[in-house]
Amino acid sequence: DTFIRIFISPTPTHIEESELVLRLRNRDKSALSYLYDKYNAALYGVASRIIKNDDITDEVLQDVFVKIWNKIDKYDASKGRFFTWMMNLTRNAAIDKLRSKEISRSSKTDSIDDYVYTFDRENSTEMSTDAIGVKTLMDSLVEDQKFILQKIYFEGFTHAEIAEEYDIPLGTVKSRLRSALNHMRKRVA
């Protein structure tokens, strides 16, 4: 919003798509303001269906409007409508953001309680990991096993990612996981 709001100026009530593109190419800041006012909600909807996080969606949308402003000369009307071009930019930016290491890494740093509480909120219940016994079972494991189980099941790491990131042989990761699961099965049975 900061980038867009710098250009606050009277916004016309209607601009034809071809005129809007021309005015954007001519660096008309009132056209940018019009563009934002007219298309912000639609493009936000495209990004939010992919990302599902308001803060990250806002960030992507900001980037999209900057891209539109900077890459307007790349828009080719013979290949499709301007709105379609903007939607594709938004969709691609949202997918790129989801695939980024930043998002991938942040999704792997949530704790076990975050996952359980998220699940609980979706089901409208108030239950902690202690109430379903997971935390107690996890606490009964030796530290190495607990670490591997936490990374794989609650933080989304693959076996290979743990081995690479924490410099643990892949076979060791797999055997610790197997031992942890066997131990937990015996405790539950």
Side-chain angles (χ1 to χ4, degrees):
D1 264 350
T2 308
F3 174 81
I4 302 302
R5 294 300 171 201
I6 290 173
F7 300 114
I8 295 177
S9 58
T11 305
T13 55
H14 180 71
I15 301 175
E16 290 297 321
E17 196 171 89
S18 59
E19 181 187 347
L20 179 60
V21 171
L22 181 64
R23 288 174 63 179
L24 288 168
R25 285 182 173 150
N26 290 327
R27 309 318 249 174
D28 180 344
K29 293 173 184 162
S30 67
L32 181 62
S33 183
Y34 174 84
L35 176 82
Y36 183 82
D37 290 344
K38 181 163 172 86
Y39 294 104
N40 177 44
L43 297 180
Y44 184 90
V46 170
S48 69
R49 278 191 295 277
I50 295 167
I51 295 174
K52 301 186 186 332
N53 176 307
D54 292 340
D55 292 335
I56 297 171
T57 300
D58 288 339
E59 182 183 325
V60 166
L61 194 61
Q62 179 72 23
D63 292 343
V64 165
F65 278 100
V66 170
K67 270 185 190 173
I68 292 168
W69 180 253
N70 290 331
K71 296 184 177 204
I72 189 64
D73 290 332
K74 296 196 185 281
Y75 167 66
D76 182 356
S78 68
K79 292 183 180 178
R81 291 190 53 220
F82 181 55
F83 180 68
T84 305
W85 181 74
M86 290 189 302
M87 281 183 40
N88 285 331
L89 274 179
T90 305
R91 181 183 160 278
N92 292 341
I95 290 169
D96 289 347
K97 189 65 164 181
L98 273 183
R99 291 178 178 164
S100 73
K101 288 189 182 230
E102 169 193 350
I103 300 300
S104 170
R105 170 61 79 215
S106 73
S107 70
K108 291 180 179 180
T109 58
D110 297 333
S111 75
I112 182 175
D113 288 328
D114 293 339
Y115 280 91
V116 174
Y117 290 134
T118 299
F119 178 77
D120 289 342
R121 278 194 304 273
E122 289 172 1
N123 292 304
S124 301
T125 62
E126 291 295 324
M127 188 182 294
S128 70
T129 53
D130 285 337
I132 61 173
V134 173
K135 194 162 179 85
T136 305
L137 281 172
M138 291 282 290
D139 288 341
S140 72
L141 298 172
V142 296
E143 206 54 45
D144 290 341
Q145 293 172 339
K146 187 188 309 186
F147 175 80
I148 298 296
L149 203 65
Q150 174 78 26
K151 294 295 175 196
I152 290 173
Y153 287 103
F154 299 105
E155 296 179 26
F157 280 78
T158 65
H159 298 122
E161 287 173 331
I162 294 171
E164 183 179 321
E165 178 115 359
Y166 297 98
D167 199 29
I168 303 170
L170 184 58
T172 303
V173 170
K174 291 180 178 185
S175 65
R176 286 179 184 168
L177 177 62
R178 192 171 32 257
S179 297
L181 292 175
N182 285 336
H183 176 80
M184 291 175 76
R185 271 190 210 105
K186 289 175 187 173
R187 300 265 318 202
V188 173

